[in-house]
């Protein structure tokens, strides 16, 4: 899409700004910044919109919420709990739900938005990973995204615990068990957080400060940095007709992208409001106030913490006595190992891939997932690893509903946590290779037209036609994966990078990482080349 000049309305706004700030050129240039039209690029915007909704609804809730564990006798309007002793935090949450006009609706919008916020970040990161959009120069922005994901989980944990109901208290008890299980310093950390013996009197107030001040401040700073870097570095785009490493094909920020974003925000807010109206979530009045001596059956955390719940249930009851200290491996390993694998893997993967391939180029065109089979297979294995842990967080529910012994579901989970990622890796890699071969076949033989033709010998065949130009350009947008060769170059000289054991290992990994990819499709032939093929040359001498 090309633009001859700024529209009249934009020129008038720029003149208004320039008369006061002298920033007309900057204003016009940035309002005409082009954004790609591919639907997948809007996934990150859902996270941004839900973050705004979380701030707005959270401010509303803070007007009435009391972050105190001081006890009182409930005298509110919810009669089943009337006269019961509970904390001020729980009583104020009941007050918001039943006595504040619109309070229950805003509470449920806030909770649904929190779930969608983490889900949107997760899906957005998967899109970035599978398309290779984390590569140079966006590796810093990828790191910021991983930190945002970690902070989102922390924000969810602290907010989930604030109502001080029986369900959130069970999760808080697990958190305290993990903290106190840390050798040597665990007891001190627990006393610091809870203000004494569990449950103490300070944890709600401290979680409240983290939930409304510390973590949102860090989120706001990182979101701002993320958007600024994205704006400066320009947006990636999917391969296709007219798309190169040096341009962006799409619509301008104003009015095209701004109009779509506004409509998308309204749709996101409307969907959350509809969910909050029609789908009940976190009915704390049914759970009752938290007491350390009670726990409800079938307790489940919010979905994004389910993988930690599952890892706790799968881990055998192992412990290790060392220098007079008991190290509860049954708590520490499931609490820290899965989350360590996930976040460390996310942080180091771009650097590891760059080291293996030696690819230090700038990338502004995304990969189709099928065109990098090993990366896509690694992502599928990671999703399977997470999914098995998440599913095993409900092994008691699975056992009860499907009449399977609980021990059998646990044993199956312990087996699947190792076999599942391997199977997912192999299947995904083979699918990617098959899809690449299918793309080459489409370019060379065309696509089925649905027309049946009878040949002179009586055989019936289906007529193939050339693929659409847009589809052909997408397929031809594939780029070869760089490879570090271990052997000598054309002059018989062994490259410096592979003259030592680590370099030779790097070369073998590089060749393995690129193995399985099909050749890069040739560029389309020009009409001149086709004419030369059709016109025979002069006959030669015999």
């Amino acid at each position: 899409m090309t633009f001859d000049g700024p529209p009249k309305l934009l020129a008038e706004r720029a003149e208004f700004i320039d008369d006061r700030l002298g920033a007309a050129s900057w204003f016009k240039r940035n309002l005409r910044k082009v954004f790609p039209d591919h639907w997948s690029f809007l996934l990150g915007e859902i996270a941004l919109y839900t973050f705004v909704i979380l701030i707005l609804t959270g401010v509303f809730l803070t007007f009435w919420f009391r972050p105190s564990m001081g006890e009182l006798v409930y005298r509110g309007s919810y009669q089943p709990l009337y006269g019961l002793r509970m904390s001020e935090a729980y009583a104020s949450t009941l007050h918001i739900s039943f006595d504040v006009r619109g309070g229950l609706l805003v509470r449920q919008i806030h909770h649904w938005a929190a779930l969608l916020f983490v889900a949107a970040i997760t899906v957005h990161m998967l899109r970035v990973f599978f398309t290779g959009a984390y590569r140079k120069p966006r590796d810093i922005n990828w790191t910021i995204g991983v930190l945002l994901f970690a902070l989102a989980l922390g924000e969810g944990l602290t907010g989930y615990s604030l109502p001080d109901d029986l369900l959130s208290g069970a999760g808080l008890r697990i958190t305290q068990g993990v903290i106190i299980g840390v050798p040597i310093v665990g007891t001190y950390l627990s006393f610091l957080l809870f203000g004494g013996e569990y449950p103490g009197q300070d944890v709600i107030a401290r979680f409240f400060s983290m939930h409304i001040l510390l973590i949102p401040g860090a989120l706001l700073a990182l979101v701002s940095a993320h958007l600024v870097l994205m704006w400066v570095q320009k947006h990636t785009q999917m391969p296709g007709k007219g798309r190169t490493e040096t341009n962006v094909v799409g619509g301008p920020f104003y009015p095209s992208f701004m109009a779509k974003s506004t409509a998308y925000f309204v749709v996101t807010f409307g969907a959350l409001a509809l969910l909050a109206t029609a789908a009940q979530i976190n009915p704390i009045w049914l759970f009752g106030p938290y007491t350390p001596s009670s726990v409800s059956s079938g307790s489940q955390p919010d979905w994004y913490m389910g993988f930690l719940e599952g890892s706790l249930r799968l881990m055998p009851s192992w412990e290790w006595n060392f220098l007079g200290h008991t190290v509860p491996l049954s708590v520490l390993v499931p609490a820290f190992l899965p989350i360590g694998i996930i976040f460390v893997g996310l942080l180091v993967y771009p650097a590891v891939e760059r080291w293996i391939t030696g690819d230090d180029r700038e990338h502004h065109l995304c990969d189709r997932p099928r065109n990098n089979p090993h990366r896509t297979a690694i992502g599928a294995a990671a999703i399977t690893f997470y999914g098995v842990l998440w599913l095993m967080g409900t092994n008691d529910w699975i056992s009860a509903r499907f009449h399977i012994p609980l021990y059998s579901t646990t044993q199956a989970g312990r087996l699947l946590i190792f076999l599942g990622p391997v199977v997912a890796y192999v299947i995904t890699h083979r699918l990617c290779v098959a899809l690449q071969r299918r793309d080459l076949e489409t370019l060379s033989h065309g696509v089925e037209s649905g027309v049946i033709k009878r040949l002179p010998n009586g055989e019936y065949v289906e007529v193939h036609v050339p693929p659409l130009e847009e589809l052909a350009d997408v397929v031809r947008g594939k780029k070869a994966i760089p490879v570090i060769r271990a052997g000598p170059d054309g002059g018989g000289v062994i490259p410096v990078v592979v003259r030592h054991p680590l370099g030779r290992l790097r070369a073998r990994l590089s060749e393995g990482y690129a193995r399985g990819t099909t050749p890069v499709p040739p560029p389309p032939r020009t009409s001149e080349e086709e004419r030369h093929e059709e016109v025979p040359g002069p006959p030669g001498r015999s």
Side-chain angles (χ1 to χ4, degrees), residues 114-131:
L115 301 182
L116 183 58
F117 179 57
V118 181
I121 292 178
T122 303
V123 177
H124 178 59
M125 290 184 67
L126 289 176
R127 197 278 301 175
V128 171
F129 179 83
F130 283 118
T131 60

Side-chain angles (χ1 to χ4, degrees), residues 298-345:
S299 298
Q300 301 293 337
D302 282 337
W303 75 266
Y304 48 84
M305 288 296 180
F307 75 105
L308 292 177
E309 176 82 9
S311 64
L312 282 169
R313 297 187 183 197
L314 290 182
M315 184 68 188
S317 56
W318 294 347
E319 64 181 32
W320 179 36
N321 295 310
F322 179 71
L323 297 178
H325 296 278
T326 299
V327 182
L329 298 177
S330 58
V331 174
L332 296 180
V333 170
F336 294 110
L337 184 61
I339 203 167
I341 291 174
I342 292 172
F343 281 100
V344 173

Side-chain angles (χ1 to χ4, degrees), residues 300 303-315 334 338 342 379-396 398 408-425:
Q300 301 293 337
W303 75 266
Y304 48 84
M305 288 296 180
F307 75 105
L308 292 177
E309 176 82 9
S311 64
L312 282 169
R313 297 187 183 197
L314 290 182
M315 184 68 188
I342 292 172
I383 292 174
T384 304
F385 175 77
Y386 176 90
V388 171
L389 291 178
W390 180 82
L391 185 64
M392 287 300 103
T394 61
N395 67 340
D396 56 342
I398 294 173
S408 299
T409 62
T410 304
Q411 289 295 94
R414 290 172 180 172
L415 182 65
L416 286 174
I417 197 63
F418 295 104
L419 288 183
V422 175
V423 173
Y425 182 94

Side-chain angles (χ1 to χ4, degrees), residues 339-503:
I339 203 167
I341 291 174
I342 292 172
F343 281 100
V344 173
L346 290 173
L347 286 171
V348 305
Y349 189 85
V352 171
E353 184 185 68
R354 186 168 59 251
W355 180 78
I356 291 175
T357 62
D359 186 7
D360 201 38
R361 301 168 298 175
E362 288 194 1
H363 293 271
H364 303 291
L365 276 179
C366 293
D367 289 336
R368 300 173 79 197
R370 67 185 66 181
N371 290 338
N372 196 314
H374 285 288
R375 179 205 295 149
T376 305
I378 290 170
I383 292 174
T384 304
F385 175 77
Y386 176 90
V388 171
L389 291 178
W390 180 82
L391 185 64
M392 287 300 103
T394 61
N395 67 340
D396 56 342
W397 184 90
I398 294 173
S399 176
R401 292 298 179 93
F402 295 98
H403 306 289
I404 303 173
L406 182 61
Y407 182 76
S408 299
T409 62
T410 304
Q411 289 295 94
R414 290 172 180 172
L415 182 65
L416 286 174
I417 197 63
F418 295 104
L419 288 183
V422 175
V423 173
Y425 182 94
V426 173
I427 293 176
T428 304
H429 185 272
R430 293 180 66 88
L431 284 174
C432 289
V433 173
L435 289 171
Q436 288 184 74
R437 293 171 179 169
R438 176 68 175 177
D439 287 340
L440 285 178
E441 182 183 348
T442 300
L443 286 181
S444 58
H445 300 291
V447 296
E448 298 172 349
S449 65
V451 177
I452 304 299
K453 180 180 179 180
R454 183 180 180 182
L455 300 180
N457 61 0
E459 179 185 2
Y460 288 91
V461 296
E462 185 173 11
V463 177
H464 285 65
V465 296
L468 294 175
E469 186 177 355
E470 290 79 4
L471 174 61
D473 287 334
V474 169
V475 175
R476 293 191 183 101
K478 175 186 177 182
K479 292 188 176 181
I481 300 174
V483 180
I484 299 174
R485 301 295 180 183
D489 56 18
V493 179
I494 297 178
V496 177
V497 70
V498 296
R499 293 180 185 176
H500 49 85
L502 183 60

